[in-house]
Amino acid sequence: MAKKRSRGPKPHKFRNKLLLNQWLVSLFGIDPLAEHKVNGKVVRPFHKLAEPIRDPRLEGLDKDNLHFFYHHLGDSPLFSYADPTADFPGFRISRDMLLTYEQNIVRHTQAINEKRHRPIGWKYYQWLTLIFVEIYLDRFFGNREGMLADLNAFVERFNRHWDDYADVPPYNEDDLNKLCMQNATGSGKTLLMHVNLLQYRHYAAKHGKDKELSRVILLTPNERLSEQHITEFRESDISAGSYLQSRGGLFGLAQGLERVDVLEITKLADQEGPNTIATRSLGDQNLLLVDEGHRGMSGKEEGVWFTRRSDLCAKGFTFEYSATFEQAVQASGNADFENSYAKTVVFDYSYRWFYEDGFGKDYQILNLPKSYDDAKSVYLTACLLKFYQQLRIYEEKSSQFEPFNLEKPLWVFVGSSVNAVYIGQMLGTAALAAVAGMFPVVFFFVSLVIGLGSGASVLIGQAWGAIYGQWMPTSGYQMDTSAPCFERFAPGCHEAKKVAACTHGECGPAGVAHGCDHGPGIRVVGIDDRRVQARVGEQPSLGIDIGVD
């Protein structure tokens, strides 16, 4: 009988082995390896910690310039008891320590608010993120060896508790030089970055190590994000600028922790060039801030980027920010790489928790019919009306929304490539028509925004002809350029049903439907001199009237 093959220990899910985060939670007297309940419901250990301060009414400062979060967390049972028999190290965060950290956070927040038109106020999860960083940097600069020992004691306990899972290796000295924030997109990572920089400056100066690093470098994915970051830094009264633009000048000189040099990761190279920086020229003793930290974790070229950015802080310190560390490290397929990040994520507020707290967007998934053409005009019209409703409410009630810091509504379309559209074979409006055939959204908005005018026959006729051409590629097109307006029809499908429109009413009376069973056509509903009104859809109830000059 064949011997059953051993499958080995099970791998942990990334979210379940965030050791640094779990260790920090344990410092508040909450055992991260035990089951916890709030109001009879099993919750994560983090939720046990956050429960006293999740109420939005606790946001803001009291008359003594202390966050209400501080008072409610400090007054909670977490600081009134500690289990002396608990099987993990006895170090705890005291009420006095929490007050010190809170005062630091308030001071840093006031610093970045000083020149802002709209002061920053923290949500509970942002405040806890800053508290966690305060605790870490305090131990990192004040008792690094003790923190390393405490972390490894927790790793040992973690592995012993989950003995049927693969062990997570212990910490080493180099693991302590990086902190990662896995916070959802839109949760305020940029502003946290600003305070993290001030936190690092504070503890480095407190322990006489503020002159050890050469410069602060922010790596971004592209120039557009670099510009946004520079603008944000200036609003926070933090000196920052493009390193490439200042290279060779006064601001290009290393200025320690006083200035942030912003640089796109794609500009790092082995050799110096007009638009590239030799990585070695920046040294390896830097404070590195990495936006979109998951970039560079997979793929050959991106792997080179990751190596180069690691070289910049080999003897320094790194803060990395991303909403998707979990997905990125799992995609790498490298267990050691995954474990290295599991040991450095200081705070996890990924989208599932962001949405659970009501900060994410509500969404709805609609299953459209197999033939999208049967529903596209109704679907796009409904989307347009919904978007219009949101815009109108935003404009008319903007003063009521001001306390919530709501931005103007945005309508986003996500599409894939246009490989199937051979635009290069066409010119002008025909190319536009081909794109519309693949992406009805484009044609929908072109019809509404650009207008038909004297080119009405070209735009409608050729666009509809391109669509029909995709349905019946062997039928061919027929174009009568001698007519006052261009006319297209596909033989065998649209005999005597010309797809046409004009600006003078000579090509057909109003009310004549142009379409077939393959999808909605265009119904001319009115012609007035140089104004054409058309309805998309075979029936009036399915379409939308568009008046175009």
Side-chain angles (χ1 to χ4, degrees):
M1 183 176 178
K3 189 174 181 180
K4 188 175 181 180
R5 185 176 179 180
S6 174
R7 299 179 63 183
K10 296 181 292 184
H12 285 283
K13 290 183 178 179
F14 182 77
R15 72 184 63 162
N16 294 334
K17 59 177 179 180
L18 303 181
L19 296 177
L20 177 57
N21 178 261
Q22 292 187 23
W23 174 73
L24 285 164
V25 170
S26 77
L27 302 185
F28 291 87
I30 299 173
D31 185 355
L33 303 181
E35 182 181 276
H36 299 278
K37 293 185 178 182
V38 173
N39 299 324
K41 180 182 177 182
V42 176
V43 298
R44 288 194 312 156
F46 168 74
H47 281 146
K48 180 77 171 180
L49 171 63
E51 184 61 26
I53 61 173
R54 292 180 72 179
D55 190 333
R57 291 173 294 182
L58 299 180
E59 296 171 11
L61 303 173
D62 67 5
K63 58 182 177 59
D64 296 320
N65 267 350
L66 295 175
H67 285 95
F68 292 109
F69 297 140
Y70 158 73
H71 292 294
H72 281 258
L73 184 61
D75 292 339
S76 72
L78 296 177
F79 287 87
S80 62
Y81 70 88
D83 184 0
T85 64
D87 183 26
F88 54 96
F91 175 77
R92 297 286 188 278
I93 301 300
S94 68
R95 179 69 183 262
D96 289 341
M97 294 171 66
L98 186 66
L99 175 59
T100 299
Y101 300 147
E102 159 67 1
Q103 290 172 334
N104 290 341
I105 292 171
V106 170
R107 186 174 65 256
H108 299 323
T109 305
Q110 290 174 334
I112 68 171
N113 275 338
E114 187 173 351
K115 293 187 177 181
R116 286 184 174 273
H117 296 295
R118 190 167 68 186
I120 301 303
W122 302 116
K123 303 293 185 183
Y124 85 90
Y125 64 87
Q126 295 169 321
W127 183 79
L128 280 177
T129 302
L130 298 175
I131 286 290
F132 278 27
V133 174
E134 281 283 323
I135 297 170
Y136 187 89
L137 293 178
D138 188 19
R139 297 292 305 278
F140 176 82
F141 282 100
N143 186 7
R144 184 167 178 158
E145 295 77 12
M147 182 172 72
L148 180 62
D150 286 351
L151 282 168
N152 281 329
F154 181 77
V155 172
E156 182 180 352
R157 179 171 178 262
F158 179 90
N159 289 334
R160 188 169 64 248
H161 180 82
W162 302 108
D163 57 358
D164 54 341
Y165 285 82
D167 285 351
V168 180
Y171 281 82
N172 58 49
E173 283 276 346
D174 291 338
D175 291 329
L176 304 183
N177 296 328
K178 178 164 68 177
L179 287 182
C180 300
M181 260 64 74
Q182 182 171 252
N183 287 20
T185 301
S187 63
K189 293 189 295 294
T190 299
L191 295 172
L192 291 175
M193 177 194 296
H194 296 183
V195 177
N196 292 158
L197 171 59
L198 300 184
Q199 288 175 304
Y200 190 92
R201 285 179 179 175
H202 167 75
Y203 282 104
K206 179 179 178 181
H207 294 274
K209 298 182 178 181
D210 52 323
K211 306 299 181 183
E212 291 186 356
L213 300 186
S214 302
R215 63 175 79 235
V216 181
I217 300 173
L218 168 60
L219 290 181
T220 73
N222 53 61
E223 292 182 2
R224 181 182 60 83
L225 280 177
S226 292
E227 293 170 358
Q228 290 181 7
H229 275 291
I230 291 172
T231 300
E232 286 285 347
F233 274 126
R234 288 172 180 167
E235 288 189 12
S236 293
D237 199 23
I238 295 175
S239 176
S242 168
Y243 178 76
L244 270 177
Q245 295 178 11
S246 62
R247 181 172 53 174
L250 178 62
F251 288 114
L253 300 176
Q255 299 185 41
L257 301 177
E258 296 305 313
R259 172 184 162 87
V260 181
D261 291 316
V262 183
L263 179 66
E264 298 78 50
I265 193 172
T266 54
K267 303 294 176 62
L268 293 176
D270 294 329
Q271 302 296 327
E272 202 86 7
N275 295 307
T276 58
I277 302 293
T279 307
R280 64 179 181 278
S281 69
L282 295 172
D284 57 6
Q285 291 180 283
N286 301 296
L287 174 59
L288 191 63
L289 310 174
V290 184
D291 187 21
E292 302 293 341
H294 61 276
R295 301 289 183 94
M297 293 185 180
S298 62
K300 184 177 179 180
E301 182 179 8
E302 290 183 328
V304 173
W305 295 347
F306 185 84
T307 300
R308 287 171 178 161
R309 86 185 196 197
S310 299
D311 291 342
L312 291 174
C313 57
K315 298 179 181 178
F317 194 92
T318 305
F319 287 98
E320 294 190 18
Y321 306 85
S322 174
T324 56
F325 282 123
E326 178 175 5
Q327 292 78 9
V329 297
Q330 289 176 343
S332 72
N334 186 322
D336 292 336
F337 188 63
E338 182 175 325
N339 284 330
S340 70
Y341 270 86
K343 294 191 292 183
T344 56
V345 173
V346 68
F347 202 85
D348 175 29
Y349 195 70
S350 46
Y351 188 78
R352 60 183 302 188
W353 315 120
F354 185 66
Y355 181 80
E356 182 181 287
D357 280 338
F359 297 119
K361 296 290 186 181
D362 286 328
Y363 60 88
Q364 184 178 17
I365 299 175
L366 301 178
N367 293 317
L368 297 176
K370 290 183 179 180
S371 174
Y372 175 61
D373 293 296
D374 294 340
K376 65 182 178 184
S377 58
V378 178
Y379 175 72
L380 291 174
T381 302
C383 290
L384 179 64
L385 291 174
K386 189 69 175 177
F387 182 54
Y388 168 74
Q389 180 189 45
Q390 294 180 15
L391 284 175
R392 182 166 178 174
I393 293 173
Y394 178 81
E395 293 293 339
E396 293 181 353
K397 300 182 181 296
S398 57
S399 60
Q400 298 178 35
F401 295 144
E402 189 171 345
F404 300 96
N405 294 334
L406 294 181
E407 295 293 341
K408 187 176 181 179
L410 178 67
W411 189 4
V412 178
F413 296 90
V414 180
S416 56
S417 64
V418 294
N419 294 340
V421 183
Y422 299 97
I423 300 176
Q425 297 177 2
M426 303 182 180
L427 295 173
T429 55
L432 178 62
V435 175
M438 286 298 292
F439 300 104
V441 172
V442 176
F443 182 61
F444 183 75
F445 283 110
V446 165
S447 301
L448 289 171
V449 178
I450 293 182
L452 304 181
S454 60
S457 57
V458 178
L459 189 56
I460 292 182
Q462 293 187 357
W464 214 249
I467 296 173
Y468 289 154
Q470 291 182 9
W471 288 336
M472 300 187 63
T474 60
S475 66
Y477 290 98
Q478 292 188 13
M479 178 185 293
D480 182 5
T481 56
S482 63
C485 294
F486 291 123
E487 302 174 357
R488 286 192 176 211
F489 58 93
C493 175
H494 289 74
E495 296 286 2
K497 292 185 178 180
K498 298 177 181 180
V499 179
C502 67
T503 59
H504 46 68
E506 295 180 6
C507 293
V512 176
H514 304 293
C516 71
D517 293 338
H518 289 122
I522 298 176
R523 180 185 297 273
V524 179
V525 296
I527 300 173
D528 179 17
D529 193 19
R530 296 185 57 81
R531 183 177 180 84
V532 175
Q533 290 181 302
R535 174 169 289 155
V536 181
E538 294 181 304
Q539 301 175 16
S541 61
L542 295 178
I544 180 171
D545 291 336
I546 50 176
V548 188
D549 292 326

Short mmCIF file of all heavy atoms in Angstrom, two decimals, residues 384-428:
data_model
loop_
_atom_site.label_atom_id
_atom_site.label_comp_id
_atom_site.label_asym_id
_atom_site.label_seq_id
_atom_site.Cartn_x
_atom_site.Cartn_y
_atom_site.Cartn_z
N LEU A 384 -26.39 57.99 -15.53
CA LEU A 384 -26.27 59.44 -15.70
C LEU A 384 -27.23 60.18 -14.76
O LEU A 384 -26.86 61.17 -14.12
CB LEU A 384 -26.57 59.81 -17.15
CG LEU A 384 -26.51 61.30 -17.49
CD1 LEU A 384 -25.11 61.85 -17.28
CD2 LEU A 384 -26.96 61.54 -18.92
N LEU A 385 -28.46 59.70 -14.66
CA LEU A 385 -29.43 60.35 -13.79
C LEU A 385 -29.02 60.24 -12.32
O LEU A 385 -29.19 61.19 -11.55
CB LEU A 385 -30.81 59.72 -14.00
CG LEU A 385 -31.47 60.01 -15.36
CD1 LEU A 385 -32.75 59.21 -15.50
CD2 LEU A 385 -31.76 61.50 -15.51
N LYS A 386 -28.46 59.09 -11.94
CA LYS A 386 -28.00 58.92 -10.56
C LYS A 386 -26.84 59.87 -10.26
O LYS A 386 -26.77 60.49 -9.20
CB LYS A 386 -27.54 57.47 -10.35
CG LYS A 386 -27.24 57.12 -8.91
CD LYS A 386 -28.50 57.10 -8.06
CE LYS A 386 -28.22 56.62 -6.65
NZ LYS A 386 -29.42 56.65 -5.79
N PHE A 387 -25.94 60.01 -11.21
CA PHE A 387 -24.80 60.91 -11.04
C PHE A 387 -25.29 62.36 -10.96
O PHE A 387 -24.83 63.14 -10.12
CB PHE A 387 -23.84 60.73 -12.19
CG PHE A 387 -22.60 61.57 -12.10
CD1 PHE A 387 -21.80 61.54 -10.97
CD2 PHE A 387 -22.22 62.39 -13.15
CE1 PHE A 387 -20.65 62.31 -10.87
CE2 PHE A 387 -21.07 63.16 -13.07
CZ PHE A 387 -20.29 63.13 -11.93
N TYR A 388 -26.25 62.70 -11.81
CA TYR A 388 -26.81 64.05 -11.80
C TYR A 388 -27.46 64.34 -10.44
O TYR A 388 -27.33 65.43 -9.88
CB TYR A 388 -27.83 64.20 -12.92
CG TYR A 388 -28.68 65.45 -12.80
CD1 TYR A 388 -28.13 66.71 -13.11
CD2 TYR A 388 -30.00 65.39 -12.37
CE1 TYR A 388 -28.89 67.86 -12.99
CE2 TYR A 388 -30.76 66.54 -12.26
CZ TYR A 388 -30.21 67.78 -12.56
OH TYR A 388 -30.96 68.92 -12.44
N GLN A 389 -28.17 63.35 -9.91
CA GLN A 389 -28.82 63.52 -8.61
C GLN A 389 -27.79 63.82 -7.53
O GLN A 389 -27.98 64.73 -6.70
CB GLN A 389 -29.60 62.25 -8.26
CG GLN A 389 -30.32 62.32 -6.92
CD GLN A 389 -30.90 60.98 -6.49
OE1 GLN A 389 -30.22 59.96 -6.60
NE2 GLN A 389 -32.14 60.98 -6.05
N GLN A 390 -26.68 63.07 -7.54
CA GLN A 390 -25.64 63.30 -6.53
C GLN A 390 -25.01 64.68 -6.69
O GLN A 390 -24.76 65.38 -5.70
CB GLN A 390 -24.57 62.21 -6.65
CG GLN A 390 -25.06 60.83 -6.29
CD GLN A 390 -23.98 59.78 -6.41
OE1 GLN A 390 -22.80 60.11 -6.50
NE2 GLN A 390 -24.37 58.53 -6.44
N LEU A 391 -24.74 65.09 -7.93
CA LEU A 391 -24.15 66.40 -8.16
C LEU A 391 -25.09 67.52 -7.70
O LEU A 391 -24.65 68.50 -7.10
CB LEU A 391 -23.85 66.57 -9.65
CG LEU A 391 -22.62 65.85 -10.20
CD1 LEU A 391 -22.55 66.03 -11.71
CD2 LEU A 391 -21.35 66.36 -9.55
N ARG A 392 -26.37 67.36 -8.00
CA ARG A 392 -27.32 68.40 -7.63
C ARG A 392 -27.44 68.53 -6.12
O ARG A 392 -27.47 69.64 -5.57
CB ARG A 392 -28.69 68.10 -8.25
CG ARG A 392 -29.72 69.17 -7.95
CD ARG A 392 -30.94 69.05 -8.82
NE ARG A 392 -31.93 70.06 -8.49
CZ ARG A 392 -33.06 70.27 -9.16
NH1 ARG A 392 -33.32 69.51 -10.22
NH2 ARG A 392 -33.91 71.20 -8.79
N ILE A 393 -27.52 67.39 -5.44
CA ILE A 393 -27.59 67.42 -3.98
C ILE A 393 -26.33 68.06 -3.40
O ILE A 393 -26.38 68.87 -2.47
CB ILE A 393 -27.78 66.00 -3.41
CG1 ILE A 393 -29.16 65.47 -3.81
CG2 ILE A 393 -27.63 65.99 -1.89
CD1 ILE A 393 -29.38 64.01 -3.43
N TYR A 394 -25.18 67.71 -3.98
CA TYR A 394 -23.90 68.26 -3.50
C TYR A 394 -23.87 69.78 -3.68
O TYR A 394 -23.42 70.52 -2.78
CB TYR A 394 -22.75 67.61 -4.24
CG TYR A 394 -21.39 68.14 -3.86
CD1 TYR A 394 -20.74 67.68 -2.72
CD2 TYR A 394 -20.74 69.09 -4.65
CE1 TYR A 394 -19.50 68.17 -2.35
CE2 TYR A 394 -19.49 69.58 -4.29
CZ TYR A 394 -18.88 69.12 -3.14
OH TYR A 394 -17.65 69.61 -2.79
N GLU A 395 -24.33 70.25 -4.84
CA GLU A 395 -24.29 71.69 -5.11
C GLU A 395 -25.29 72.45 -4.24
O GLU A 395 -24.99 73.52 -3.73
CB GLU A 395 -24.59 71.94 -6.59
CG GLU A 395 -23.52 71.42 -7.54
CD GLU A 395 -22.22 72.18 -7.41
OE1 GLU A 395 -22.25 73.32 -6.91
OE2 GLU A 395 -21.17 71.64 -7.81
N GLU A 396 -26.48 71.92 -4.06
CA GLU A 396 -27.53 72.64 -3.35
C GLU A 396 -27.39 72.58 -1.84
O GLU A 396 -27.91 73.44 -1.13
CB GLU A 396 -28.90 72.09 -3.77
CG GLU A 396 -29.25 72.36 -5.22
CD GLU A 396 -30.61 71.82 -5.61
OE1 GLU A 396 -31.22 71.11 -4.77
OE2 GLU A 396 -31.07 72.10 -6.73
N LYS A 397 -26.69 71.55 -1.34
CA LYS A 397 -26.58 71.38 0.11
C LYS A 397 -25.11 71.35 0.56
O LYS A 397 -24.77 70.73 1.55
CB LYS A 397 -27.29 70.10 0.55
CG LYS A 397 -28.77 70.07 0.21
CD LYS A 397 -29.43 68.80 0.71
CE LYS A 397 -30.91 68.75 0.35
NZ LYS A 397 -31.68 69.82 0.99
N SER A 398 -24.26 72.02 -0.19
CA SER A 398 -22.83 71.98 0.10
C SER A 398 -22.50 72.50 1.50
O SER A 398 -21.61 71.97 2.17
CB SER A 398 -22.05 72.80 -0.94
OG SER A 398 -22.53 74.14 -0.97
N SER A 399 -23.23 73.51 1.97
CA SER A 399 -22.95 74.05 3.30
C SER A 399 -23.26 73.03 4.40
O SER A 399 -22.59 72.99 5.43
CB SER A 399 -23.78 75.32 3.54
OG SER A 399 -25.17 75.04 3.44
N GLN A 400 -24.28 72.20 4.17
CA GLN A 400 -24.62 71.18 5.16
C GLN A 400 -23.60 70.04 5.18
O GLN A 400 -23.42 69.36 6.20
CB GLN A 400 -26.02 70.60 4.86
CG GLN A 400 -27.13 71.64 4.94
CD GLN A 400 -28.48 71.06 4.59
OE1 GLN A 400 -28.76 69.90 4.89
NE2 GLN A 400 -29.33 71.86 3.95
N PHE A 401 -22.92 69.81 4.04
CA PHE A 401 -21.95 68.73 3.95
C PHE A 401 -20.56 69.15 4.42
O PHE A 401 -19.68 68.31 4.61
CB PHE A 401 -21.84 68.22 2.51
CG PHE A 401 -23.09 67.57 2.00
CD1 PHE A 401 -23.48 67.71 0.67
CD2 PHE A 401 -23.89 66.82 2.85
CE1 PHE A 401 -24.63 67.10 0.20
CE2 PHE A 401 -25.04 66.21 2.39
CZ PHE A 401 -25.42 66.35 1.07
N GLU A 402 -20.34 70.45 4.59
CA GLU A 402 -19.00 70.95 4.90
C GLU A 402 -18.37 70.29 6.13
O GLU A 402 -17.18 69.95 6.10
CB GLU A 402 -19.05 72.47 5.07
CG GLU A 402 -17.68 73.10 5.19
CD GLU A 402 -17.75 74.62 5.14
OE1 GLU A 402 -18.80 75.17 4.75
OE2 GLU A 402 -16.75 75.26 5.52
N PRO A 403 -19.12 70.06 7.22
CA PRO A 403 -18.50 69.42 8.39
C PRO A 403 -17.98 68.01 8.11
O PRO A 403 -17.13 67.51 8.85
CB PRO A 403 -19.64 69.39 9.42
CG PRO A 403 -20.59 70.46 8.99
CD PRO A 403 -20.52 70.46 7.50
N PHE A 404 -18.49 67.38 7.04
CA PHE A 404 -18.09 66.00 6.75
C PHE A 404 -16.93 65.92 5.76
O PHE A 404 -16.47 64.83 5.41
CB PHE A 404 -19.29 65.22 6.19
CG PHE A 404 -20.46 65.16 7.13
CD1 PHE A 404 -21.51 66.06 7.01
CD2 PHE A 404 -20.51 64.21 8.15
CE1 PHE A 404 -22.59 66.02 7.88
CE2 PHE A 404 -21.58 64.16 9.02
CZ PHE A 404 -22.63 65.06 8.89
N ASN A 405 -16.44 67.07 5.29
CA ASN A 405 -15.30 67.12 4.35
C ASN A 405 -15.55 66.29 3.10
O ASN A 405 -14.65 65.61 2.59
CB ASN A 405 -14.01 66.63 5.05
CG ASN A 405 -13.57 67.55 6.16
OD1 ASN A 405 -13.88 68.73 6.15
ND2 ASN A 405 -12.86 67.01 7.13
N LEU A 406 -16.77 66.31 2.60
CA LEU A 406 -17.10 65.54 1.41
C LEU A 406 -16.58 66.24 0.16
O LEU A 406 -16.66 67.46 0.02
CB LEU A 406 -18.61 65.35 1.28
CG LEU A 406 -19.29 64.50 2.36
CD1 LEU A 406 -20.78 64.40 2.08
CD2 LEU A 406 -18.67 63.11 2.42
N GLU A 407 -16.04 65.44 -0.77
CA GLU A 407 -15.58 65.99 -2.03
C GLU A 407 -16.69 65.88 -3.07
O GLU A 407 -17.69 65.19 -2.87
CB GLU A 407 -14.34 65.22 -2.52
CG GLU A 407 -13.13 65.37 -1.62
CD GLU A 407 -12.56 66.78 -1.63
OE1 GLU A 407 -12.88 67.53 -2.57
OE2 GLU A 407 -11.83 67.14 -0.69
N LYS A 408 -16.51 66.57 -4.17
CA LYS A 408 -17.49 66.55 -5.26
C LYS A 408 -17.63 65.12 -5.80
O LYS A 408 -16.64 64.41 -5.97
CB LYS A 408 -17.02 67.48 -6.38
CG LYS A 408 -18.05 67.67 -7.49
CD LYS A 408 -17.54 68.69 -8.49
CE LYS A 408 -18.57 68.91 -9.61
NZ LYS A 408 -18.11 69.92 -10.59
N PRO A 409 -18.87 64.66 -6.05
CA PRO A 409 -19.07 63.29 -6.55
C PRO A 409 -18.29 63.03 -7.84
O PRO A 409 -18.10 63.93 -8.67
CB PRO A 409 -20.58 63.23 -6.80
CG PRO A 409 -21.16 64.23 -5.86
CD PRO A 409 -20.15 65.35 -5.80
N LEU A 410 -17.85 61.82 -7.98
CA LEU A 410 -17.04 61.41 -9.12
C LEU A 410 -17.62 60.15 -9.73
O LEU A 410 -18.01 59.22 -9.01
CB LEU A 410 -15.60 61.16 -8.67
CG LEU A 410 -14.60 60.69 -9.72
CD1 LEU A 410 -14.35 61.80 -10.73
CD2 LEU A 410 -13.29 60.27 -9.05
N TRP A 411 -17.69 60.12 -11.04
CA TRP A 411 -18.20 58.94 -11.76
C TRP A 411 -17.01 58.30 -12.46
O TRP A 411 -16.34 58.94 -13.26
CB TRP A 411 -19.26 59.37 -12.76
CG TRP A 411 -20.02 58.25 -13.42
CD1 TRP A 411 -19.94 56.93 -13.18
CD2 TRP A 411 -21.02 58.40 -14.43
NE1 TRP A 411 -20.81 56.24 -13.96
CE2 TRP A 411 -21.50 57.11 -14.75
CE3 TRP A 411 -21.56 59.50 -15.10
CZ2 TRP A 411 -22.48 56.88 -15.71
CZ3 TRP A 411 -22.55 59.27 -16.06
CH2 TRP A 411 -22.99 57.98 -16.35
N VAL A 412 -16.72 57.07 -12.14
CA VAL A 412 -15.52 56.40 -12.66
C VAL A 412 -15.92 55.25 -13.57
O VAL A 412 -16.81 54.45 -13.24
CB VAL A 412 -14.65 55.85 -11.51
CG1 VAL A 412 -13.44 55.13 -12.06
CG2 VAL A 412 -14.22 56.98 -10.59
N PHE A 413 -15.28 55.17 -14.72
CA PHE A 413 -15.46 54.05 -15.64
C PHE A 413 -14.16 53.26 -15.69
O PHE A 413 -13.07 53.84 -15.83
CB PHE A 413 -15.80 54.54 -17.05
CG PHE A 413 -17.11 55.27 -17.13
CD1 PHE A 413 -17.17 56.63 -16.94
CD2 PHE A 413 -18.28 54.58 -17.38
CE1 PHE A 413 -18.38 57.31 -17.01
CE2 PHE A 413 -19.49 55.25 -17.45
CZ PHE A 413 -19.55 56.61 -17.27
N VAL A 414 -14.26 51.97 -15.59
CA VAL A 414 -13.09 51.10 -15.64
C VAL A 414 -13.22 50.20 -16.85
O VAL A 414 -14.21 49.48 -17.01
CB VAL A 414 -12.96 50.24 -14.37
CG1 VAL A 414 -11.73 49.36 -14.45
CG2 VAL A 414 -12.90 51.13 -13.14
N GLY A 415 -12.24 50.24 -17.73
CA GLY A 415 -12.27 49.41 -18.93
C GLY A 415 -10.97 48.70 -19.14
O GLY A 415 -9.99 48.91 -18.43
N SER A 416 -10.95 47.83 -20.14
CA SER A 416 -9.73 47.09 -20.46
C SER A 416 -9.15 47.63 -21.75
O SER A 416 -9.43 48.74 -22.17
CB SER A 416 -10.03 45.60 -20.57
OG SER A 416 -11.06 45.39 -21.52
N SER A 417 -8.34 46.83 -22.43
CA SER A 417 -7.65 47.29 -23.62
C SER A 417 -8.60 47.37 -24.80
O SER A 417 -9.72 46.87 -24.78
CB SER A 417 -6.49 46.35 -23.95
OG SER A 417 -7.00 45.08 -24.28
N VAL A 418 -8.14 47.99 -25.89
CA VAL A 418 -8.93 48.12 -27.12
C VAL A 418 -8.29 47.32 -28.24
O VAL A 418 -8.31 47.72 -29.39
CB VAL A 418 -9.08 49.60 -27.52
CG1 VAL A 418 -9.88 50.35 -26.49
CG2 VAL A 418 -7.71 50.26 -27.68
N ASN A 419 -7.72 46.17 -27.89
CA ASN A 419 -7.01 45.37 -28.88
C ASN A 419 -7.88 44.99 -30.06
O ASN A 419 -7.39 44.81 -31.18
CB ASN A 419 -6.45 44.11 -28.24
CG ASN A 419 -5.40 44.43 -27.22
OD1 ASN A 419 -4.83 45.51 -27.25
ND2 ASN A 419 -5.15 43.52 -26.29
N ALA A 420 -9.18 44.80 -29.82
CA ALA A 420 -10.05 44.33 -30.88
C ALA A 420 -10.48 45.44 -31.83
O ALA A 420 -11.13 45.19 -32.83
CB ALA A 420 -11.28 43.66 -30.29
N VAL A 421 -10.12 46.66 -31.53
CA VAL A 421 -10.53 47.78 -32.36
C VAL A 421 -9.34 48.25 -33.19
O VAL A 421 -8.34 48.68 -32.64
CB VAL A 421 -11.05 48.95 -31.50
CG1 VAL A 421 -11.54 50.07 -32.39
CG2 VAL A 421 -12.17 48.47 -30.59
N TYR A 422 -9.44 48.16 -34.46
CA TYR A 422 -8.32 48.52 -35.32
C TYR A 422 -8.48 49.96 -35.77
O TYR A 422 -8.86 50.26 -36.91
CB TYR A 422 -8.25 47.57 -36.52
CG TYR A 422 -8.03 46.14 -36.10
CD1 TYR A 422 -9.09 45.26 -35.97
CD2 TYR A 422 -6.75 45.69 -35.79
CE1 TYR A 422 -8.90 43.95 -35.55
CE2 TYR A 422 -6.55 44.37 -35.36
CZ TYR A 422 -7.62 43.52 -35.25
OH TYR A 422 -7.42 42.23 -34.82
N ILE A 423 -8.23 50.85 -34.82
CA ILE A 423 -8.44 52.27 -35.08
C ILE A 423 -7.51 52.76 -36.19
O ILE A 423 -7.85 53.64 -36.96
CB ILE A 423 -8.24 53.09 -33.79
CG1 ILE A 423 -9.23 52.62 -32.74
CG2 ILE A 423 -8.42 54.57 -34.05
CD1 ILE A 423 -9.06 53.30 -31.41
N GLY A 424 -6.34 52.15 -36.25
CA GLY A 424 -5.36 52.60 -37.24
C GLY A 424 -5.83 52.46 -38.66
O GLY A 424 -5.28 53.09 -39.57
N GLN A 425 -6.86 51.62 -38.88
CA GLN A 425 -7.35 51.43 -40.24
C GLN A 425 -8.37 52.49 -40.63
O GLN A 425 -8.86 52.50 -41.74
CB GLN A 425 -7.98 50.04 -40.35
CG GLN A 425 -6.99 48.91 -40.13
CD GLN A 425 -7.66 47.55 -40.19
OE1 GLN A 425 -8.85 47.47 -40.43
NE2 GLN A 425 -6.88 46.50 -39.99
N MET A 426 -8.71 53.35 -39.70
CA MET A 426 -9.74 54.35 -39.95
C MET A 426 -9.18 55.74 -39.67
O MET A 426 -8.12 55.90 -39.08
CB MET A 426 -10.97 54.11 -39.07
CG MET A 426 -11.56 52.73 -39.25
SD MET A 426 -13.02 52.52 -38.23
CE MET A 426 -13.47 50.84 -38.67
N LEU A 427 -9.93 56.73 -40.06
CA LEU A 427 -9.52 58.12 -39.84
C LEU A 427 -10.68 58.92 -39.27
O LEU A 427 -11.84 58.61 -39.51
CB LEU A 427 -9.06 58.76 -41.15
CG LEU A 427 -7.79 58.17 -41.80
CD1 LEU A 427 -7.58 58.81 -43.17
CD2 LEU A 427 -6.58 58.37 -40.94
N GLY A 428 -10.33 59.96 -38.55
CA GLY A 428 -11.32 60.93 -38.09
C GLY A 428 -12.48 60.33 -37.35
O GLY A 428 -12.32 59.53 -36.44
#
